[in-house]
Amino acid sequence: MRCTTILLVLVGFQFWLISNGAIVNSLENVDWWQKAVFYQIFPRSFKDSDNDGIGDIPGIIQKLDHFVDAGVDAIWLSPIYKSPMVDGGYDISDYRDIAPEYGTLDDFKKLLEDAHERKLKVVLDFVPNHSSDQHIWFKKSINKEEGYNEYYLWADAKYDSEGNRGPPNNWLSVFQNSGWTWNEQRGQYFFHQFTNKQPDLNLRSKMVQKEMKDIMTFWLNMGVDGFRVDAVPHIYEDEQLRDEPIDPNSGVIDPNNYDYLKHIYTKDQPKTFELVYDWRNFLDNYTAVNGGDTRIFMTEAATNIDKVARYYGTADGSQLGAHFSFNFYLIGLTDYNRPMDIKYTVDAWQSSLPSIYTLNWLTGNHDNHRVASRVSPRNIDGYNMMVMFLPGISITYMGEEFGQEDGEVTCEQGQDPSAVNNCTTFNQTSRDFERTPYQWDDSINAGFNEGAPTWLPVSKKYKYTNLENQREMSRSHYKVYQQLIKIKSLLRSANTLTVYQSDADILQLRRSSEGGDNEYFFLFNMGEDVKTMPIQDVTDEACLVLVSSVDAEYLPGDKIFNEDITLKPGDSFICKLLLV
Ligand code: GLC
Ligand code: MG
C-alpha cells in the first residue's frame, strides 16, 4: 500500500469565473523557507561515488553544483542514518551515525560545509515514530533492561476460548496485516505501524522524548538546517488499546488491508499535535539561542486537510507546529485530471489553511509513481510550471527537473518491503519504480556510477532522458525548470492568486500585486484537443511570454496582443502583463 492517500477527486463539469482572488503571504518579512524551492534527494539513488552500486554522500557532494545550476534553495535528504535498510533507511539502527555504504560523519560534515558555501540549506529526514529492530534500544527493551522497558509499545497477548494466542487488538500495519508481532523472548507483542522490523517507539516515555530532542540537537549542532519529520500522524496510539471500527465507506473487504479500518485510535491523536507544537518550540528556541537562520520543521502527514492544517499550528497562531506540512493533494495527478481538480485543491487549501501559514506544492516523492509517468510527456512542463507558479513553497523530487520517468523493475529485483511479498500486485504497490538511479547522462549506468551493478536497475530510458542531454538542448524540461525558479522569485511581488475556469481543459491562474500593475498569467491546456481562446479572456492588455513548454508555439519574449491564444494539448506558458 502506498503511504500517501490520494485525495484528488474529480468534480463535476462546470464553467465559471472566480473573481475573488485570495491573498497569500504578505510580502514583507518573508523568511527564507517561505519562498523556497526544496529538492528531495533519495540518497541511495542519487550518485554513487565509489562504484559499489549504492548512492552515497560523497556522490551528493560531487553534484552540489547541480543544485546551484538548477536554482534550488534547499536539499532534503531521505534517511542517511545507519540502518539495515529494510525500508529504504526508514528503519534506523543508530540515529547518530551514517550508514556505512553512504559514508561517514566526516563526509556528512563536508557535505554541510560545501552546501552552505553554496548557500544551500540541508534538511534531514527524521524518523521518530519507529526505530529499526536492530537498534540497541529495542534489544534492551526486549530484555526489560532498566529504563528501556517502556521504550516501545508492548502489550500482552489475548487468548481465545481454546487458548490460542492472538494480538492485543485489531490494529493493522500501514503495510497490511496485523500491526502486532509476537516477541518470544519478552513474551509480549510489540506494535509497528510499518514493517515488523520497525517497532514503534513509545513517545509517552519521557526518556524517549528526551532521546529524540537530544538526537535533533546532535544534528543541529553539526549544522543541519532542519528536519522533515516522517510519519507524524502515526506517532501516538490510544493508551487503552481500543479496537478500531470497520470503515463502512472504504469499500475494502480484505480485513488485513489497512484501509479496512477507520484509524481513530492509531492516527492523528491529540497528543501528536501537542508533540508537534512542542518540537516547534524546541526548534525555535534552538535558533533563538544559537542564532542563524530559522531551522525548518516540515511534517509528513498524509491525512485530512483539517488535520494537516492543525499540524501547521492552531488557527489563531497561538501555537505553532510545522513550518509546513506536505501537501499531498496533487501527488496522484494523472492525465484524467482537469483544471477543475486543481481549482478544487487550491480552494481546499485556501479555505482550510489559515492565511498566516505558508502553502506548499508538489507532484511527487519517493513513495509514489513519478509524475512524468503518471502524465503524458507533453504535460511535464505544465505541471512543473504549476508547482512553481502557485504561491508559497515548491518541492521537487529528484529527477522531476528534467522529467525523469519511473524505472523498469521486476518483482524479483524489487526492494520495497511494502510490495516484495506479493508479485501479483507489485506494479501497483511497489515504490521501487520511482527510486531507480538518477539519470545524469548517457554514459554507462546513466552516469550514476562507473558500471557496477546498481541496487535497483538503471532505467533503459536514460539514453534519451538525462540531465546532460537536456542541458545541451536549447529547449528542454530542464531549461524550463531553471527559468521557472527565476520566475518564482518575480512572482513574490504578485501575491494575490486567482483561479479562472473559462474552459474545461485550460488551467488559467493569475497572480497580481495590490495595485494590479504587476500581473502574471499561467495557461496550461490539460486536455486532449487544440484550444483557442481570445486574449481578452486573459487580459485586455498585452502579455509578454516569460517561459513556455518545450513544444508550445509561443516562445519566451513573444508578445501576445490582440489575437487569439492557441494551445495544443500540453501547451503551457507563463506571461507577464504588458500595459499597452
Ligand atoms: C514515510 C516514508 C516512507 C516510509 C514510511 C515508514 O511514509 O515516506 O517511505 O516507508 O514513512 O517510515
Ligand atoms: Mg556508493
Side-chain angles (χ1 to χ4, degrees), residues 47 51 437-454 458-459 462-463:
K47 171 72 190 176
N51 202 34
Y438 186 97
Q439 294 155 210
W440 292 99
D441 55 41
D442 64 4
S443 69
I444 189 157
N445 280 349
F448 171 66
N449 68 8
E450 279 157 24
T454 53
V458 174
S459 166
Y462 82 87
K463 287 274 174 198

mmCIF file of all heavy atoms in Angstrom, residues 47 51 437-454 458-459 462-463:
data_model
loop_
_atom_site.group_PDB
_atom_site.id
_atom_site.type_symbol
_atom_site.label_atom_id
_atom_site.label_comp_id
_atom_site.label_asym_id
_atom_site.label_seq_id
_atom_site.Cartn_x
_atom_site.Cartn_y
_atom_site.Cartn_z
ATOM 1 N N LYS A 47 23.788 9.521 -6.526
ATOM 2 C CA LYS A 47 25.085 9.450 -7.198
ATOM 3 C C LYS A 47 25.996 8.545 -6.391
ATOM 4 O O LYS A 47 26.204 8.770 -5.200
ATOM 5 C CB LYS A 47 25.683 10.860 -7.321
ATOM 6 C CG LYS A 47 27.113 10.909 -7.806
ATOM 7 C CD LYS A 47 27.250 10.563 -9.284
ATOM 8 C CE LYS A 47 28.718 10.397 -9.646
ATOM 9 N NZ LYS A 47 28.917 9.966 -11.032
ATOM 10 N N ASN A 51 31.362 3.481 -6.790
ATOM 11 C CA ASN A 51 31.023 2.382 -7.698
ATOM 12 C C ASN A 51 30.726 1.074 -6.963
ATOM 13 O O ASN A 51 31.150 0.006 -7.393
ATOM 14 C CB ASN A 51 32.174 2.183 -8.704
ATOM 15 C CG ASN A 51 31.694 1.471 -9.962
ATOM 16 O OD1 ASN A 51 30.563 1.664 -10.400
ATOM 17 N ND2 ASN A 51 32.554 0.628 -10.531
ATOM 18 N N PRO A 437 17.992 4.672 -10.092
ATOM 19 C CA PRO A 437 19.031 5.714 -10.088
ATOM 20 C C PRO A 437 18.731 6.935 -10.968
ATOM 21 O O PRO A 437 18.105 6.834 -12.022
ATOM 22 C CB PRO A 437 20.265 4.965 -10.591
ATOM 23 C CG PRO A 437 20.050 3.563 -10.123
ATOM 24 C CD PRO A 437 18.569 3.333 -10.291
ATOM 25 N N TYR A 438 19.213 8.043 -10.478
ATOM 26 C CA TYR A 438 19.105 9.333 -11.176
ATOM 27 C C TYR A 438 19.856 9.252 -12.496
ATOM 28 O O TYR A 438 20.953 8.708 -12.569
ATOM 29 C CB TYR A 438 19.707 10.416 -10.276
ATOM 30 C CG TYR A 438 19.543 11.825 -10.777
ATOM 31 C CD1 TYR A 438 18.498 12.628 -10.321
ATOM 32 C CD2 TYR A 438 20.448 12.387 -11.671
ATOM 33 C CE1 TYR A 438 18.362 13.941 -10.756
ATOM 34 C CE2 TYR A 438 20.314 13.688 -12.117
ATOM 35 C CZ TYR A 438 19.264 14.464 -11.656
ATOM 36 O OH TYR A 438 19.142 15.763 -12.091
ATOM 37 N N GLN A 439 19.278 9.836 -13.534
ATOM 38 C CA GLN A 439 19.854 9.746 -14.878
ATOM 39 C C GLN A 439 20.637 11.010 -15.221
ATOM 40 O O GLN A 439 20.079 12.004 -15.682
ATOM 41 C CB GLN A 439 18.716 9.455 -15.873
ATOM 42 C CG GLN A 439 18.127 8.068 -15.626
ATOM 43 C CD GLN A 439 16.694 7.862 -16.079
ATOM 44 O OE1 GLN A 439 15.969 7.062 -15.484
ATOM 45 N NE2 GLN A 439 16.271 8.569 -17.117
ATOM 46 N N TRP A 440 21.961 10.924 -14.979
ATOM 47 C CA TRP A 440 22.814 12.100 -15.171
ATOM 48 C C TRP A 440 23.135 12.349 -16.638
ATOM 49 O O TRP A 440 23.100 13.463 -17.111
ATOM 50 C CB TRP A 440 24.127 11.931 -14.387
ATOM 51 C CG TRP A 440 23.902 11.959 -12.916
ATOM 52 C CD1 TRP A 440 23.812 10.892 -12.061
ATOM 53 C CD2 TRP A 440 23.677 13.127 -12.115
ATOM 54 N NE1 TRP A 440 23.560 11.320 -10.789
ATOM 55 C CE2 TRP A 440 23.475 12.690 -10.785
ATOM 56 C CE3 TRP A 440 23.640 14.498 -12.383
ATOM 57 C CZ2 TRP A 440 23.232 13.570 -9.739
ATOM 58 C CZ3 TRP A 440 23.401 15.377 -11.347
ATOM 59 C CH2 TRP A 440 23.193 14.917 -10.047
ATOM 60 N N ASP A 441 23.521 11.261 -17.350
ATOM 61 C CA ASP A 441 23.954 11.438 -18.736
ATOM 62 C C ASP A 441 23.778 10.115 -19.470
ATOM 63 O O ASP A 441 23.188 9.178 -18.923
ATOM 64 C CB ASP A 441 25.419 11.944 -18.786
ATOM 65 C CG ASP A 441 26.364 11.040 -18.012
ATOM 66 O OD1 ASP A 441 26.206 9.797 -18.096
ATOM 67 O OD2 ASP A 441 27.255 11.552 -17.309
ATOM 68 N N ASP A 442 24.306 10.010 -20.692
ATOM 69 C CA ASP A 442 24.070 8.769 -21.444
ATOM 70 C C ASP A 442 25.253 7.806 -21.356
ATOM 71 O O ASP A 442 25.348 6.855 -22.126
ATOM 72 C CB ASP A 442 23.689 9.075 -22.900
ATOM 73 C CG ASP A 442 24.810 9.755 -23.651
ATOM 74 O OD1 ASP A 442 25.919 9.923 -23.080
ATOM 75 O OD2 ASP A 442 24.602 10.135 -24.821
ATOM 76 N N SER A 443 26.159 8.028 -20.422
ATOM 77 C CA SER A 443 27.274 7.081 -20.247
ATOM 78 C C SER A 443 26.774 5.858 -19.471
ATOM 79 O O SER A 443 25.610 5.811 -19.058
ATOM 80 C CB SER A 443 28.443 7.762 -19.528
ATOM 81 O OG SER A 443 28.091 8.026 -18.190
ATOM 82 N N ILE A 444 27.675 4.911 -19.238
ATOM 83 C CA ILE A 444 27.257 3.670 -18.580
ATOM 84 C C ILE A 444 26.513 3.953 -17.269
ATOM 85 O O ILE A 444 26.875 4.864 -16.518
ATOM 86 C CB ILE A 444 28.478 2.735 -18.364
ATOM 87 C CG1 ILE A 444 28.005 1.357 -17.893
ATOM 88 C CG2 ILE A 444 29.508 3.316 -17.392
ATOM 89 C CD1 ILE A 444 29.015 0.261 -18.187
ATOM 90 N N ASN A 445 25.444 3.193 -17.041
ATOM 91 C CA ASN A 445 24.592 3.365 -15.862
ATOM 92 C C ASN A 445 24.126 4.809 -15.654
ATOM 93 O O ASN A 445 23.983 5.282 -14.515
ATOM 94 C CB ASN A 445 25.285 2.845 -14.595
ATOM 95 C CG ASN A 445 25.187 1.332 -14.480
ATOM 96 O OD1 ASN A 445 24.436 0.695 -15.229
ATOM 97 N ND2 ASN A 445 25.948 0.744 -13.569
ATOM 98 N N ALA A 446 23.931 5.496 -16.760
ATOM 99 C CA ALA A 446 23.396 6.869 -16.729
ATOM 100 C C ALA A 446 24.288 7.838 -15.948
ATOM 101 O O ALA A 446 23.823 8.874 -15.491
ATOM 102 C CB ALA A 446 21.973 6.880 -16.154
ATOM 103 N N GLY A 447 25.571 7.458 -15.779
ATOM 104 C CA GLY A 447 26.467 8.332 -15.027
ATOM 105 C C GLY A 447 26.254 8.240 -13.525
ATOM 106 O O GLY A 447 26.889 8.965 -12.758
ATOM 107 N N PHE A 448 25.375 7.334 -13.097
ATOM 108 C CA PHE A 448 25.135 7.161 -11.658
ATOM 109 C C PHE A 448 26.398 6.606 -11.000
ATOM 110 O O PHE A 448 26.778 6.997 -9.906
ATOM 111 C CB PHE A 448 23.953 6.218 -11.448
ATOM 112 C CG PHE A 448 23.733 5.775 -10.027
ATOM 113 C CD1 PHE A 448 23.354 6.677 -9.051
ATOM 114 C CD2 PHE A 448 23.900 4.434 -9.663
ATOM 115 C CE1 PHE A 448 23.149 6.261 -7.732
ATOM 116 C CE2 PHE A 448 23.691 4.011 -8.351
ATOM 117 C CZ PHE A 448 23.317 4.933 -7.386
ATOM 118 N N ASN A 449 27.045 5.652 -11.692
ATOM 119 C CA ASN A 449 28.337 5.166 -11.215
ATOM 120 C C ASN A 449 29.151 4.724 -12.424
ATOM 121 O O ASN A 449 28.819 5.078 -13.566
ATOM 122 C CB ASN A 449 28.172 4.072 -10.157
ATOM 123 C CG ASN A 449 27.583 2.777 -10.712
ATOM 124 O OD1 ASN A 449 27.416 2.620 -11.939
ATOM 125 N ND2 ASN A 449 27.262 1.866 -9.831
ATOM 126 N N GLU A 450 30.189 3.942 -12.194
ATOM 127 C CA GLU A 450 31.053 3.582 -13.316
ATOM 128 C C GLU A 450 30.766 2.214 -13.891
ATOM 129 O O GLU A 450 31.621 1.623 -14.549
ATOM 130 C CB GLU A 450 32.521 3.720 -12.903
ATOM 131 C CG GLU A 450 32.954 5.174 -13.002
ATOM 132 C CD GLU A 450 34.140 5.502 -12.129
ATOM 133 O OE1 GLU A 450 34.916 4.581 -11.785
ATOM 134 O OE2 GLU A 450 34.273 6.692 -11.780
ATOM 135 N N GLY A 451 29.611 1.674 -13.607
ATOM 136 C CA GLY A 451 29.232 0.441 -14.282
ATOM 137 C C GLY A 451 28.953 -0.744 -13.378
ATOM 138 O O GLY A 451 28.483 -1.775 -13.852
ATOM 139 N N ALA A 452 29.241 -0.616 -12.088
ATOM 140 C CA ALA A 452 28.931 -1.734 -11.188
ATOM 141 C C ALA A 452 27.412 -1.915 -11.120
ATOM 142 O O ALA A 452 26.669 -0.940 -11.265
ATOM 143 C CB ALA A 452 29.480 -1.438 -9.796
ATOM 144 N N PRO A 453 26.966 -3.165 -10.915
ATOM 145 C CA PRO A 453 25.521 -3.391 -10.791
ATOM 146 C C PRO A 453 24.922 -2.480 -9.714
ATOM 147 O O PRO A 453 25.520 -2.297 -8.651
ATOM 148 C CB PRO A 453 25.420 -4.857 -10.362
ATOM 149 C CG PRO A 453 26.728 -5.466 -10.715
ATOM 150 C CD PRO A 453 27.760 -4.380 -10.708
ATOM 151 N N THR A 454 23.787 -1.922 -10.014
ATOM 152 C CA THR A 454 23.199 -0.930 -9.113
ATOM 153 C C THR A 454 22.114 -1.568 -8.250
ATOM 154 O O THR A 454 21.532 -2.582 -8.627
ATOM 155 C CB THR A 454 22.596 0.226 -9.935
ATOM 156 O OG1 THR A 454 21.703 -0.329 -10.909
ATOM 157 C CG2 THR A 454 23.692 0.987 -10.660
ATOM 158 N N VAL A 458 19.120 0.601 -13.422
ATOM 159 C CA VAL A 458 19.040 1.913 -14.067
ATOM 160 C C VAL A 458 17.996 1.800 -15.183
ATOM 161 O O VAL A 458 17.983 0.815 -15.922
ATOM 162 C CB VAL A 458 20.411 2.288 -14.673
ATOM 163 C CG1 VAL A 458 20.321 3.588 -15.471
ATOM 164 C CG2 VAL A 458 21.464 2.398 -13.578
ATOM 165 N N SER A 459 17.139 2.778 -15.290
ATOM 166 C CA SER A 459 16.106 2.731 -16.334
ATOM 167 C C SER A 459 16.743 2.789 -17.720
ATOM 168 O O SER A 459 17.679 3.549 -17.958
ATOM 169 C CB SER A 459 15.151 3.916 -16.178
ATOM 170 O OG SER A 459 14.368 4.043 -17.344
ATOM 171 N N TYR A 462 17.375 6.085 -19.949
ATOM 172 C CA TYR A 462 18.380 7.121 -19.689
ATOM 173 C C TYR A 462 19.095 7.598 -20.938
ATOM 174 O O TYR A 462 19.591 8.717 -20.980
ATOM 175 C CB TYR A 462 19.382 6.641 -18.633
ATOM 176 C CG TYR A 462 20.506 5.756 -19.126
ATOM 177 C CD1 TYR A 462 21.691 6.306 -19.611
ATOM 178 C CD2 TYR A 462 20.403 4.377 -19.084
ATOM 179 C CE1 TYR A 462 22.738 5.502 -20.044
ATOM 180 C CE2 TYR A 462 21.443 3.562 -19.517
ATOM 181 C CZ TYR A 462 22.608 4.136 -20.001
ATOM 182 O OH TYR A 462 23.639 3.339 -20.419
ATOM 183 N N LYS A 463 19.163 6.762 -21.965
ATOM 184 C CA LYS A 463 19.868 7.161 -23.190
ATOM 185 C C LYS A 463 19.265 8.442 -23.763
ATOM 186 O O LYS A 463 19.961 9.262 -24.339
ATOM 187 C CB LYS A 463 19.797 6.035 -24.225
ATOM 188 C CG LYS A 463 20.680 4.849 -23.882
ATOM 189 C CD LYS A 463 22.104 5.079 -24.397
ATOM 190 C CE LYS A 463 23.020 3.956 -23.929
ATOM 191 N NZ LYS A 463 24.444 4.323 -24.025
#
